[in-house]
Amino acid sequence: MRRRKGSVNPSVALWAVPRSISTAVERMISERGDFTVFAEPFSAYYYYSDERASYRYLPAGSPPEAQWSSILSKITDAADTSAVFVRDMAYHVAPRTAEVARLPFVHTFIIRHPLRALLSLHRLLPDFTADETGFEAQYRLAREVQAVTGNPPLIINGDELRDAPENIVHSYCDRVGIPYLPDALSWERGMRKEWGPWARWHHDVAASTGFRPRDAIDHSATTLPARVDAVYEKCLDAYLGMVALKEAADNAI
């Protein structure tokens, strides 16, 4: 992927874990109208390409549009004429973490406490794999980005975003280097065509008109499903690593 020449608009990537409020951020960016937005383009690579890391979905073949080079070409072509925003799961690019960290993006991340994220993931995908939780892949990618740039990456917290969207989005825009557009914090209800085959994962955002405050949850009273309990501690370790990187980045401002 080549970097666009003569443009002041960045190509921004938001690397997420599942159920971390990342789709709402994407919806806000779409509402701005000044970015070409890609919704989880690397999911096809992870699940359908010749190099697929998962056989959860078994296609009859491996379509050309699922291949790594094809996905990068689409993003590159868009970046020739506009600013680009890519929202994706970090685990979708885990086999190429070192390569991804060197792509000409402003790499940003969104985190969420694994208790909330995993319980939500379990409701939608009860047989999720450890890889599909995404926490360890996200932490590896964030550390790789730090190694490449020499600085901890920009990280936002999905729950904090829900509680104070104006402040978090304003800060995010300032640090990425794009104008803050407050009107983009609200949008019309509806499913987006770019969500395509993953539409069932986006019903909450489709029914929303903006960022909604988080619901209260009593951590001490929560009984974890067995599959969640089996991965919780490793996810928590990776999450706390991301929190430490976030604090380092915030303190460096």
Side-chain angles (χ1 to χ4, degrees), residues 50-211:
D50 290 337
E51 300 175 341
R52 67 179 69 116
S54 170
Y55 284 82
R56 172 177 294 282
Y57 308 106
L58 296 174
S62 183
E65 61 270 20
Q67 309 312 317
W68 185 261
S69 60
S70 177
I71 296 167
L72 286 185
S73 291
K74 287 182 180 179
I75 298 172
T76 296
D77 290 346
D80 282 338
T81 57
S82 77
V84 164
F85 182 85
V86 175
R87 177 194 62 84
D88 217 321
M89 300 298 116
Y91 78 84
H92 288 161
V93 299
R96 292 175 177 258
T97 295
E99 178 181 349
V100 169
R102 288 163 175 79
L103 292 176
F105 291 122
V106 177
H107 291 281
T108 68
F109 296 80
I110 184 167
I111 60 175
R112 193 185 189 197
H113 193 284
L115 181 60
R116 291 177 178 271
L118 292 173
L119 289 174
S120 181
L121 176 62
H122 185 264
R123 285 192 291 271
L124 281 166
L125 194 69
D127 64 339
F128 66 81
T129 66
D131 286 346
E132 287 171 322
T133 66
F135 283 86
E136 291 182 291
Q138 186 187 52
Y139 187 36
R140 285 195 301 272
L141 180 55
R143 286 181 294 170
E144 190 69 32
V145 168
Q146 181 178 24
V148 170
T149 64
N151 297 297
L154 167 54
I155 301 170
I156 58 175
N157 183 299
D159 287 322
E160 293 175 357
L161 172 63
R162 294 181 69 174
D163 289 343
E166 296 86 355
N167 292 341
I168 301 298
V169 172
H170 199 164
S171 174
Y172 182 83
C173 291
D174 285 348
R175 293 167 68 181
V176 167
I178 61 177
Y180 170 60
L181 303 180
D183 288 348
L185 294 175
S186 59
W187 49 79
E188 293 185 1
R189 292 184 178 89
M191 194 64 67
R192 305 280 292 185
K193 64 179 181 180
E194 59 265 29
W195 295 337
W198 313 112
R200 76 182 187 93
W201 292 82
H202 304 317
H203 286 306
D204 287 348
V205 176
S208 72
T209 58
F211 295 102

